[in-house]
Structures are given as C-alpha cells and as structure tokens.
C-alpha cells in the first residue's frame, strides 16, 4: 500500500519567523487552519468523483489533522484528506472481486496537488495577521481588567 504524500515548500523563512513570534500553540493552530483550508478542495473533488451506493463513503470523506492510529507523527502538523476508516474505500478505489476499480482519491489528488501550493504563503500571512490581531485583542482585554 502506498504511503502518504509529503509536500515541502522552501523559501518561507519569513512565515516561519512570524509563526515563531506567535507562540508554539498559536503557530501550530495557524498551520492547521491553513492545511485544512488547502486540502478541502481536494476532499470536495473526492466527494464529487466517488461512486455512490448508500452515500456513507461520500459523507465520510473529510479533512482532518488527527493522526491515524497506524501512522507515526513525522512533523509538527499533519493534515489528511480522504475517506477515513471506511472498509469499502479501498475496494472502490482499486476494485474488488466483483467490482471494477472506480478511482476517486488519486484523480482528485492529481487534479488538486498543484493548486495546493499556489498561494499558500498568502494564506499563511492572512492567518498570521488574524492570530496576531486575536492576541492583541486578548492582551488589551487583560490589560483593561488590570
């Protein structure tokens, strides 16, 4: 079975420095929000392409930052898009004894992987600005309480 796909983006030193200024937990949350937002169009395409019998598989396609139990965490933030733990997911994708393959995950990934990286720095800056504004608002509220 194929392993997950790792996407690396070089040249985001300024983003990394800004994330460091936010604090560890806030920086991690910013990265999670950007990752989920970037993977959602791929999940939407999976939902569009998946063959539907009862609809369980289509409804089960999601984007999550939770790490599957069988995988070891390799980085600070990981995001996954796909059908989750549905037993019929791989049978739909690759085919089974009586069912021909009906790929939906791979075509969705192939069609969306290039768009995943386009504009990611802008998304990071938008989320960093929002997080910094929330931190400033919280600090002002705490200072007002005295």
């Amino acid at each position: 079975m194929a392993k997950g796909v790792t996407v690396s983006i070089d040249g985001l030193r300024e983003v990394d420095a800004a994330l460091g200024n936010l604090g560890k937990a806030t920086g991690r949350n910013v990265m999670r929000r950007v990752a989920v937002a970037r993977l959602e169009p791929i999940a939407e395409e999976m939902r569009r392409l998946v063959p539907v019998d009862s609809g369980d598989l289509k409804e089960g396609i999601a984007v999550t930052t939770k790490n599957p139990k069988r995988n070891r965490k390799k980085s600070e933030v990981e995001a996954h898009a796909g059908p989750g733990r549905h037993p019929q997911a791989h049978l739909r994708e690759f085919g089974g004894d009586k069912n021909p393959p009906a790929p939906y995950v791979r075509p969705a990934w192939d069609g969306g992987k290039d768009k995943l990286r386009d504009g990611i720095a802008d998304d990071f800056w938008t989320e960093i600005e929002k997080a910094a504004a929330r931190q400033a608002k919280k600090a002002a509220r705490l200072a007002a309480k005295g």
Side-chain angles (χ1 to χ4, degrees):
M1 194 104 188
K3 296 281 185 183
V5 176
T6 302
V7 177
S8 301
I9 299 174
D10 298 324
L12 295 177
R13 286 191 184 101
E14 297 84 8
V15 169
D16 189 36
L19 287 170
N21 292 336
L22 293 175
K24 190 171 184 174
T26 305
R28 193 170 35 241
N29 289 334
V30 165
M31 289 190 288
R32 281 189 186 122
R33 283 192 293 273
V34 170
V36 168
R38 282 289 161 172
L39 281 175
E40 192 55 45
I42 294 173
E44 280 295 324
E45 184 66 7
M46 285 182 206
R47 288 182 202 107
R48 189 183 72 73
L49 293 173
V50 68
V52 177
D53 286 337
S54 66
D56 290 344
L57 182 57
K58 183 176 186 174
E59 293 170 6
I61 295 173
V63 177
T64 183
T65 57
K66 293 189 178 2
N67 201 21
K69 291 180 182 180
R70 65 186 180 273
N71 290 350
R72 287 185 311 192
K73 198 166 190 174
K74 296 180 180 114
S75 62
E76 190 76 22
V77 173
E78 293 181 4
H80 307 273
R85 298 183 63 122
H86 283 279
Q88 70 271 32
H90 70 285
L91 295 173
R92 285 292 187 183
E93 181 77 9
F94 303 110
D97 290 340
K98 297 177 184 171
N99 297 325
Y104 61 97
V105 175
R106 187 59 189 229
W109 173 253
D110 287 342
K113 67 183 175 185
D114 294 331
K115 296 175 193 163
L116 187 75
R117 286 191 235 169
D118 296 341
I120 197 166
D122 295 334
D123 288 358
F124 269 118
W125 285 116
T126 301
E127 285 298 326
I128 288 169
E129 289 168 0
K130 287 179 185 178
R134 282 191 299 271
Q135 282 185 339
K137 186 177 178 180
K138 183 179 180 180
R141 188 174 62 241
L142 292 174
K145 282 186 177 180

